[in-house]
């Protein structure tokens, strides 16, 4: 998964660079790689042809086309060699003068598109739960407990009008030696029994500044915003979180917990509270599982708000989350002391905090350790857009 995501991310970055070129640069690149009559083609057509020919150039199929050009000579742009290098070859060959554009969240998150391999269908069924992902050839989810990949048949997604971000509870059976499963029966969708499941998107209307509050110890949480709270001890040793969850249950607020590489005690706590959906990984879990949890958290929060729920997202140790993503992306480029890709994903998480004039909101409570209070990301990003809770 890591190599696939990295390759797709590189290709996305190169395509972004191509689309940022001006029309004269596009025509020059097109001439350089042998595209005929570039001045007669529209901009979008040139972009598509350059992307296609760039891939052929990588395989060496048109490497000699530039030697056989005919027709009126053109003025070669001084930056053309750099552009050709940037859009044609692997990232390792990018000259230092070429600066890659900052990646977007969508360009970083590429869902695997695969068809399940059916070797056998096990007789024993298991209850598996996760957030639905949909790709061109398959719908699946990653089980929140064990990280098992579970495929959802097309007839079930169509029958119940399921879409990306829906939280499913299913009865599933193993289908191959890779430990993958397939859904036999859907039990719940977004906390509702399948018998009560109805797809009804709530129009979010206009964003507002909410005046609603949640109590957190002696302080209060601003709803529909981002709230940063410092912990001197581990969460399970602090009674404020459990009290907050009880208040949310009474007020019918959905509580989602996201935490990567967390302590076993915290994981036990989150899974023991009945109105908490825990999307966590414990200490020592592979970093790829951490990215899965983040992607599912973002999709689930967005989906629940669309379905008419108020959502409280609690992030257990934002700095540890960034460190885990750093291990996954392994980038040498830094932004606020972390991988550029990690920061982009974290910014996407922070953007979830929002309130609407129909009364719905997603509220973020972002925890950080006392020892990380001077961390660069916290001061340059989190504290600038959050209400600090003492």
């Amino acid at each position: 998964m890591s190599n696939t995501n990295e390759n797709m991310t590189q290709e996305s970055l190169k395509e972004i660079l191509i689309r940022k070129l001006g029309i004269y640069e596009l025509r020059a690149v097109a001439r350089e790689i042998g595209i005929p009559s570039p001045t007669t083609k529209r901009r979008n057509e040139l972009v598509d042809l350059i992307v296609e020919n760039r891939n052929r150039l990588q395989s060496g199929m048109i490497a000699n086309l530039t030697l056989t050009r005919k027709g009126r000579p053109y003025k070669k742009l001084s930056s053309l060699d750099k552009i050709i290098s940037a859009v044609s070859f692997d990232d390792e060959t990018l000259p230092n003068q070429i600066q890659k554009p900052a990646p977007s969240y969508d360009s970083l998150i590429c869902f695997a598109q695969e068809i399940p391999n059916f070797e056998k269908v096990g007789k024993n069924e298991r209850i598996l739960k996760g957030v639905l992902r949909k790709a061109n050839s398959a719908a699946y989810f990653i089980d929140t407990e064990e990280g098992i990949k579970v495929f959802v048949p097309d007839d079930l997604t169509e029958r119940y009008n399921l879409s990306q971000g829906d939280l499913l509870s299913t009865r599933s059976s193993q289908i191959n030696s890779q430990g993958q499963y397939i859904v036999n029966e859907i039990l719940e969708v977004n906390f509702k029994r399948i018998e009560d499941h109805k797809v009804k998107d709530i129009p979010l209307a206009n964003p507002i500044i909410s005046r609603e509050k949640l109590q957190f110890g002696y302080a209060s949480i601003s709803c529909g915003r981002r709230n940063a709270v410092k912990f001197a001890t581990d969460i399970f040793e602090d009674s404020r979180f459990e009290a907050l969850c009880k208040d949310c249950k009474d007020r019918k607020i959905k509580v989602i917990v996201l935490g990567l590489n967390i302590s076993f005690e915290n994981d036990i706590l989150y899974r023991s509270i009945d109105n908490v959906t825990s999307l966590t990984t414990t200490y020592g879990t592979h970093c790829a599982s951490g990215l899965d949890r983040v992607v599912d958290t973002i999709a689930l929060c967005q989906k629940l708000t669309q379905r008419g729920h108020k959502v409280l997202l609690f992030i257990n140790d934002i700095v540890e989350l960034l460190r885990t993503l750093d291990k996954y992306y392994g980038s040498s480029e830094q932004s606020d002391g972390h991988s550029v890709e990690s920061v982009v994903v974290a910014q996407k998480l922070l953007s979830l905090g929002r309130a609407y004039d129909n009364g719905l909101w997603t509220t973020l409570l972002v925890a950080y350790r006392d020892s990380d209070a001077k961390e660069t990301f916290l001061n340059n990003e989190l504290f600038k857009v959050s209400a600090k809770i003492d």
Side-chain angles (χ1 to χ4, degrees), residues 7 28 33 43 81 115 134 203 229 238 242 253 256 260 276 314 337 376-377 381:
N7 290 338
I33 62 177
R43 190 178 189 285
D81 289 337
I115 298 175
K134 296 194 76 173
V229 57
D238 192 311
E242 289 185 79
I253 299 167
I256 312 297
L260 306 187
V276 167
F314 177 70
T376 306
F377 177 85
E381 297 282 345

Side-chain angles (χ1 to χ4, degrees), residues 176-236:
N176 56 41
S177 58
Q178 286 75 46
Q180 297 177 338
Y181 280 66
I182 194 163
V183 172
N184 299 324
E185 180 184 3
I186 296 177
L187 305 176
E188 293 182 356
V189 180
N190 299 329
F191 309 102
K192 291 184 178 180
R193 295 183 307 170
I194 193 62
E195 297 84 3
D196 303 323
H197 170 61
K198 294 180 180 179
V199 175
K200 184 180 179 181
D201 286 337
I202 306 297
L204 295 181
N206 299 312
I208 62 169
I209 299 174
S210 173
R211 303 302 178 187
E212 194 173 348
K213 302 286 185 181
L214 287 170
Q215 199 65 30
F216 189 69
Y218 294 109
S220 60
I221 297 171
S222 298
C223 296
R225 291 187 58 190
R226 295 145 300 279
N227 301 265
V229 57
K230 178 171 63 178
F231 278 86
T233 64
D234 220 343
I235 310 298
F236 75 93

Side-chain angles (χ1 to χ4, degrees), residues 33 51 104 116 176 199 218 220 230 250 255 263 288 302 369 375:
I33 62 177
V51 170
S104 67
N176 56 41
V199 175
Y218 294 109
S220 60
K230 178 171 63 178
D250 294 340
V255 180
S263 69
Q302 292 173 329
R369 291 182 178 274
E375 210 268 349

